[in-house]
Amino acid sequence: MEAQTYTFTNAGVTGRTGPTQTQVNSTYASGNTLHGAVTINTQGIQEWTVPVTGTYTIEVWGAAGGGNNSRTIGGKGARMKGTFSLTVGDVLKILVG
């Protein structure tokens, strides 16, 4: 079976509340691997149900921080990557900032 990639985004929404179901549906439209697979039960938290039992590699990137003047330099953000055994039906709650 060929590896499948799922890329979660902020659905074009900025601010503290995050995307609605309508915004997620529009972003993960037909042809996207997440089409019809993401639910918003709490605004801003994307819930995705694992479609197939198997090993998944999850990679996340943190945002870089900004400096506030010429003497302060912002951070580069963090990157984490891990391999996880997930079971069909598991629900992952994803928050993209």
Side-chain angles (χ1 to χ4, degrees), residues 6 12 14-15 27 39 49 85 92:
Y6 303 94
T14 59
T27 299
T39 303
T49 303
S85 294
L92 276 63

Side-chain angles (χ1 to χ4, degrees), residues 36-68:
V38 175
T39 303
I40 303 287
N41 288 311
T42 301
Q43 186 172 348
I45 300 174
Q46 300 179 46
E47 296 187 24
W48 177 71
T49 303
V50 175
V52 178
T53 297
T55 302
Y56 289 76
T57 299
I58 299 175
E59 185 171 3
V60 296
W61 294 75
N68 62 1

Side-chain angles (χ1 to χ4, degrees), residues 8-9 19-21 24-25 28 34-51 89-96:
F8 295 85
T9 72
T20 64
Q21 185 70 57
V24 164
N25 291 349
Y28 305 143
L34 293 171
H35 177 66
V38 175
T39 303
I40 303 287
N41 288 311
T42 301
Q43 186 172 348
I45 300 174
Q46 300 179 46
E47 296 187 24
W48 177 71
T49 303
V50 175
D90 286 348
V91 177
L92 276 63
K93 293 184 178 185
I94 299 153
L95 186 101
V96 180

